[in-house]
Amino acid sequence: MAAVPGDASLTHTPRTPGSAVFEWDTANEYGTGSPERDALYGCAPGAVATRAAVLAVVHPDDRALVRGFFAELDAARHGDILQCEYRAAAPQGGVRWLRNVCRVEVSAGRRHISGVLSDVTEGKRGDAVLALSERRYRLLAEYIGTVLWQATPDGFITHALGWTTLTGQQEGEYQGHGWIEAVHPDDRPVVAAAWRRSCAAGQPVDVEYRARSVATGEWVWLRARTVPVHDDQGRLIEWSGICENIDQRRRDAAALAAAKDRAEQQDRAKSKFLAAASHDLRQPIQSLYLLAAALEPHVRPEGAAARERLCHGLDVLSRVLNGMLDLSRLDLDLVVPRPRDFPIGELLEDVAAGYAQPAQAKGLALRVVACAPAMVRTDPDMLRRLLANLVENAVRYSERGEVTLGCAQAGGAVVVSVRDQGIGIPPGQLDLIWEEFRQLANPARERRVGMGLGLSIVRRLSALLDCPVGVDSTPGQGTAFTVTVPLAAAAAPPAVVPALPERPVQPPAAVRRARPPAILVVDDDPLVRESFELMVESWGSDWLVQVAGSVAEAMALRCPDAVVMDYRLGEETGDAAMARLRAHWRAPGLPGVLLTGDTDAGVAARARASAMRLLHKPVDTRRLRDVLAAMLAEA
């Protein structure tokens, strides 16, 4: 109930749908009104003529309210206008909300009341919906820790639903610019400046800051975002925004970043350990290879078989070590592809050249069938390792015939194939060949034929490169592996790809020179230097060898015909050392071989950038001699 200012006679108020006028004489407790009034009460005309009749149709829960309204009317002064809202029975059942607005007139001791009765049911329903909506927003804001707020066009905060729950500031404290007092002192200048700029420009604001939590007493991180609200004419009428609690999110992000840093540190530690282990384990094996080669001209015939067994044992040890270190790097996710565009034919020639000597020793023909010049895009070093494993398997498990390495374009890709005429694989066992330490042709696990890691490495490299590997085999006739490599983006596949003739791959022929080539070996390991010196001397008078333990020692010597450089030279890498030597001798095209026990693709990239041939330890001495001979022939 409330008093309403005004002095116009309500009996002359125009009738509108859902409203009616009435008059009331308090002296005889009798009221008259239009038929619409009785209809609003859900009664027949004239049925609501007394206050008792009115109370009879009022909702029981509101009767006390209406009695109080009647008492106020009886006590009101002349000219007072009062109103009351209550529920009454509806004609079709249920209830309807009515608003009763009355004007009191007092004359000659008599009290006369005139008024308007209106149906406000729809308005009440709208108010209920709004109240429910506000309650929902309040509960939602409190549940998710979000503040909903409004401000005047000049930035004066008028309402902030949830701010009191979050910070403890009451409405009178946070209104206007008082909310800034709850912000962390270090963040206040930034937040205040951002809010001023936003208000001046009429642009949204998005800022993060800390505020004191009343629940914990600690500073929590909040994110405030606001947007300007304009009317139909584009005038700024208010600001609306939210302020969400992002403290846990920031804590989670910080924890995630710390965990990421720890994981990266662990990865670096693992990578460093594997690199050191790879170098330290391969270095003595490399020395043994060199010493075994140096012994060859000095071994009596009766000791030749023992030396051959020694060399074979070193081969097995080398393959096992390489396989296990490669698998470790792949399993620890330390191998990251570095794709680039390159000609596939050159890579096939390089892979085949590496196995020409073993194939020839077994009486196998190793042939390359390169497709027409095609550029592919992938990591060349990882693809080389993958194909080398396939070719090595083909040579190892073939006792006759030939091994063919070729490729053919198919749509937007190049399909590289490695085919042999070996023992083949039974159809039911094709899925087993990819398992670690699985050797179908070696059930007794004789180490002379390896450890069964090559195809496991192939599968992992294939997945990393996204170059699918397929296999087709017929027992007794041979096996064909295929690797699908994407073409480079600029390489449009021709309609017809001409086939190139097969070309047998032979070990490089000896180079005829006017004088023996001088080879400089730079390695900081004295045992390796001595072993290299003995090995090259065992090659005969066609070769000269010099050794140096550092770049400084090498600079004191004459410029050689080729350099064999260890990758790890104390604090300096072999490619950097080679650059210094070339500059010192003014020989930019000086051939160089980079020896490393590290299989990281970054080392291969350094070797390419420095125009050096990369060989991984332990390298077979015949392989090293073939590479040096080929480089000297090209030079």
Side-chain angles (χ1 to χ4, degrees):
M1 294 177 289
V4 180
D7 54 10
S9 175
L10 295 176
T11 56
H12 300 293
T13 302
R15 298 180 186 179
T16 59
S19 65
V21 296
F22 64 89
E23 294 184 349
W24 201 273
D25 187 350
T26 59
N28 54 23
E29 289 290 329
Y30 186 80
T32 60
S34 64
E36 291 85 357
R37 182 199 65 168
D38 297 323
L40 289 175
Y41 280 121
C43 300
V48 190
T50 64
R51 289 183 175 181
V54 171
L55 289 173
V57 297
V58 170
H59 192 282
D61 293 344
D62 295 343
R63 287 172 183 168
L65 175 69
V66 175
R67 289 192 187 96
F69 179 58
F70 288 160
E72 289 185 10
L73 289 174
D74 292 342
R77 295 172 299 179
H78 177 76
D80 286 348
I81 296 178
L82 290 84
Q83 71 175 14
C84 179
E85 293 181 355
Y86 50 87
R87 289 165 293 177
Q92 290 80 23
V95 296
R96 63 171 40 156
W97 277 94
L98 301 176
R99 177 183 293 141
N100 199 335
V101 182
C102 299
R103 184 177 188 276
V104 178
E105 296 178 354
V106 180
S107 177
R110 294 178 62 88
R111 185 176 296 273
H112 180 79
I113 298 173
S114 58
V116 176
L117 185 68
S118 304
D119 185 345
V120 294
T121 304
E122 291 302 320
K124 281 293 186 179
R125 288 174 180 169
D127 292 343
V129 170
L130 289 175
L132 178 60
S133 178
E134 181 178 356
R135 186 161 61 252
R136 286 172 177 167
Y137 276 119
R138 183 183 299 277
L139 291 174
L140 182 61
E142 292 177 354
Y143 179 75
I144 64 176
T146 300
V147 177
L148 307 176
W149 57 271
Q150 287 81 39
T152 60
D154 59 356
F156 188 94
I157 302 297
T158 58
H159 185 63
L161 181 65
W163 185 258
T164 300
T165 303
L166 178 64
T167 67
Q169 278 191 318
Q170 299 301 314
E171 187 174 28
E173 295 174 315
Y174 69 69
Q175 284 182 330
H177 301 289
W179 58 273
I180 198 71
E181 297 300 322
V183 176
H184 192 286
D186 294 345
D187 299 339
R188 290 174 190 171
V190 176
V191 177
W195 184 223
R196 285 195 301 270
R197 287 194 303 270
S198 179
C199 291
Q203 297 296 322
V205 67
D206 189 336
V207 63
E208 295 182 3
Y209 58 88
R210 289 162 292 177
R212 178 81 72 180
S213 168
V214 69
T216 64
E218 298 179 352
W219 297 104
V220 296
W221 278 98
L222 307 176
R223 181 186 182 188
R225 288 174 289 175
T226 181
V227 293
V229 180
H230 300 87
D231 61 13
D232 294 340
Q233 285 73 42
R235 293 172 297 190
L236 178 64
I237 57 175
E238 71 172 9
W239 293 89
S240 292
I242 64 171
C243 184
E244 57 180 321
N245 189 334
I246 61 169
D247 194 66
Q248 189 59 48
R249 188 188 311 168
R250 287 188 62 119
R251 291 177 187 270
D252 292 343
L256 182 61
K260 182 174 180 290
D261 288 342
R262 288 194 298 271
E264 290 176 348
Q265 290 176 2
Q266 291 173 356
D267 284 346
R268 287 192 293 269
K270 293 173 186 175
S271 182
K272 186 176 181 180
F273 168 76
L274 281 175
S278 178
H279 178 270
D280 294 345
L281 290 173
R282 285 186 167 106
Q283 194 79 331
I285 298 177
Q286 181 66 75
S287 298
L288 290 174
Y289 262 111
L290 299 175
L291 290 173
L295 285 174
E296 184 174 7
H298 306 289
V299 175
R300 296 177 180 177
E302 58 269 23
R307 179 190 168 279
E308 286 299 321
R309 285 195 294 272
L310 171 63
C311 292
H312 182 73
L314 289 174
D315 289 340
V316 172
L317 180 59
S318 175
R319 287 197 299 268
V320 172
L321 177 62
N322 289 338
M324 296 187 72
L325 288 173
D326 285 347
L327 274 180
S328 297
R329 289 182 56 81
L330 290 168
D331 288 341
L332 292 173
D333 296 327
L334 299 180
V335 180
V336 179
R338 293 178 173 85
R340 64 180 179 89
D341 298 348
F342 62 93
I344 186 64
E346 293 182 9
L347 187 140
L348 298 186
E349 295 282 353
D350 183 58
V351 171
Y355 291 92
Q357 187 72 42
Q360 187 182 60
K362 295 188 67 173
L364 301 173
L366 179 57
R367 303 181 183 277
V368 174
V369 184
C371 49
M375 298 291 290
V376 297
R377 182 168 185 80
T378 188
D379 186 310
D381 300 305
M382 293 173 65
L383 181 62
R384 181 183 289 106
R385 184 78 173 98
L386 186 156
L387 294 176
N389 278 3
L390 293 178
V391 174
E392 182 176 344
N393 266 18
V395 172
R396 181 181 303 160
Y397 293 110
S398 297
E399 300 298 333
R400 57 178 176 79
E402 64 181 24
V403 174
T404 305
L405 180 61
C407 67
Q409 289 191 33
V414 168
V415 179
V416 180
S417 61
V418 179
R419 303 176 183 273
D420 64 54
Q421 296 175 342
I423 59 177
I425 305 169
Q429 298 184 352
L430 286 175
D431 291 338
L432 303 178
I433 62 176
W434 310 106
E435 297 179 4
E436 297 173 14
F437 306 106
R438 172 74 69 169
Q439 292 175 297
L440 302 181
N442 184 24
R445 303 199 54 76
E446 296 182 24
R447 294 294 178 260
R448 63 183 180 85
V449 290
M451 290 282 291
L453 298 176
L455 292 181
S456 296
I457 294 172
V458 166
R459 182 179 62 178
R460 285 167 168 79
L461 291 174
S462 167
L464 278 174
L465 295 175
D466 195 18
C467 294
V469 175
V471 59
D472 182 42
S473 185
T474 303
Q477 297 184 22
T479 302
F481 285 91
T482 58
V483 183
T484 303
V485 186
L487 281 168
V496 178
V497 180
L500 297 183
E502 294 186 1
R503 187 181 64 79
V505 180
Q506 301 290 344
V511 181
R512 295 183 178 275
R513 302 175 63 92
R515 61 174 177 80
I519 307 300
L520 171 63
V521 177
V522 183
D523 197 302
D524 57 0
D525 188 325
L527 178 59
V528 173
R529 292 199 303 272
E530 184 179 354
S531 302
F532 258 113
E533 198 167 18
L534 293 172
M535 178 202 68
V536 176
E537 288 176 355
S538 72
W539 290 352
S541 58
D542 292 339
W543 298 84
L544 297 177
V545 63
Q546 304 176 90
V547 295
S550 65
V551 175
E553 290 181 20
M555 287 181 175
L557 303 173
R558 295 181 59 183
C559 180
D561 295 303
V563 177
V564 177
M565 181 80 68
D566 187 33
Y567 177 69
R568 293 180 178 272
L569 293 173
E571 299 298 325
E572 190 172 25
T573 58
D575 57 305
M578 188 66 182
R580 289 210 290 148
L581 290 178
R582 284 169 172 165
H584 173 73
W585 287 317
R586 298 180 181 178
L590 179 63
V593 175
L594 191 62
L595 291 182
T596 180
D598 195 336
T599 57
D600 184 10
V603 179
R606 286 175 172 269
R608 282 195 305 270
S610 59
M612 298 181 73
R613 183 62 180 271
L614 181 67
L615 294 178
H616 288 92
K617 297 178 183 179
V619 62
D620 180 82
T621 56
R622 289 168 297 185
R623 169 74 169 144
L624 177 61
R625 183 169 56 186
D626 291 343
V627 169
L628 287 172
M631 294 177 68
L632 291 171
E634 293 173 1

